[in-house]
């Protein structure tokens, strides 16, 4: 039996936190995350914001826009504390996905102006995988997400793409499943940006 969207969100966040938890002694605030303009700390804060943002869209049944809020880490939050926030926001998205009826659609701008619970789960996972890769790259560590998580994202956001073995390893989360995920065309919402495509969902 395939894991549900909620279980996949939980798995993605747990995998990310385990990988980044090994380098909480590094300087996240002074290092850029891969090719992003953000620091590693800012990127982790963004992931937390996306996770709770998607949860809010589903829980609030938002139909016309994103709920008008954002989150910010306290200035004295350390790297371990940052990961605790990411973990908690992941739990909230998983709970929203798990408790939202299959028929519900909530606002997301691209491409249909709405997404299902599985679509929001896939977008949340994509943000976690992409940005964990960004942070890992910035900190100089290897990161290879589980192929089944990449496949979950691809089959729901890009159903026309057939996931398969990657011709090369270590090229980023999208390439794990044989295709690049949309990591560079992110539209900002306040201090957050979103994966551009949303799935209709099952």
């Amino acid at each position: 039996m395939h894991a549900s969207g909620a279980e996949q969100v939980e798995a993605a966040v747990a995998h990310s936190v385990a990988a980044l938890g090994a380098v909480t002694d590094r300087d996240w605030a002074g290092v850029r995350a891969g090719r992003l303009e953000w620091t590693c700390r800012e990127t982790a804060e963004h992931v937390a914001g996306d996770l709770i943002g998607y949860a809010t869209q589903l829980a609030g049944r938002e139909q016309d826009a994103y709920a008008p809020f954002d989150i910010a880490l306290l200035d004295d939050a350390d790297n371990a504390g940052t990961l605790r926030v990411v973990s908690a926001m992941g739990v909230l998205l998983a709970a929203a996905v798990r408790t939202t009826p299959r028929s519900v659609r909530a606002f997301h701008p691209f491409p249909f102006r709405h997404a299902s619970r599985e679509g929001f789960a896939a977008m949340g996972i994509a943000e976690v995988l992409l940005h964990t890769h960004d942070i890992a790259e910035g900190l100089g560590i290897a990161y290879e997400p589980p192929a089944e998580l990449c496949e979950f994202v691809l089959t729901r956001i890009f159903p026309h793409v057939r996931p398969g073995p990657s011709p090369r390893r270590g090229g980023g989360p999208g390439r794990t499943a044989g295709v690049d995920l949309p990591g560079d065309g992110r539209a900002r919402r306040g201090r957050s940006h979103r994966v551009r495509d949303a799935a209709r969902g099952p």
Side-chain angles (χ1 to χ4, degrees), residues 47-88:
V47 171
D50 269 348
L51 292 170
I52 190 58
Y54 291 152
T56 301
Q57 291 305 101
L58 285 172
R61 309 293 195 262
E62 296 288 339
Q63 294 300 304
D64 300 315
Y66 273 109
F69 81 103
D70 209 339
I71 68 167
L73 294 169
L74 296 178
D75 290 342
D76 61 354
D78 61 10
N79 296 334
T82 297
L83 290 181
R84 294 205 316 273
V85 173
V86 170
S87 292

Side-chain angles (χ1 to χ4, degrees), residues 124-135:
I125 293 166
E127 290 285 345
V128 170
L129 300 185
L130 288 163
H131 288 314
T132 300
H133 183 269
D134 291 331
I135 295 168

Side-chain angles (χ1 to χ4, degrees), residues 86-177:
V86 170
S87 292
M89 300 305 102
V91 169
L92 292 175
L93 176 57
V97 171
R98 187 171 281 118
T99 58
T100 296
R102 183 184 295 269
S103 61
V104 168
R105 299 294 185 269
F107 174 82
H108 183 275
F110 301 104
F112 310 116
R113 294 191 63 78
H114 62 78
S116 69
R117 64 185 187 183
E118 297 294 295
F120 278 107
M123 289 186 287
I125 293 166
E127 290 285 345
V128 170
L129 300 185
L130 288 163
H131 288 314
T132 300
H133 183 269
D134 291 331
I135 295 168
E137 183 179 353
L139 296 174
I141 62 171
Y143 177 70
E144 189 76 20
E148 61 270 20
L149 294 176
C150 295
E151 183 174 349
F152 179 84
V153 171
L154 290 170
T155 55
R156 283 154 181 81
I157 299 180
F158 303 105
H160 59 286
V161 173
R162 181 182 297 276
S166 175
R168 55 186 173 180
R169 302 290 287 179
R175 294 193 183 98
T176 303

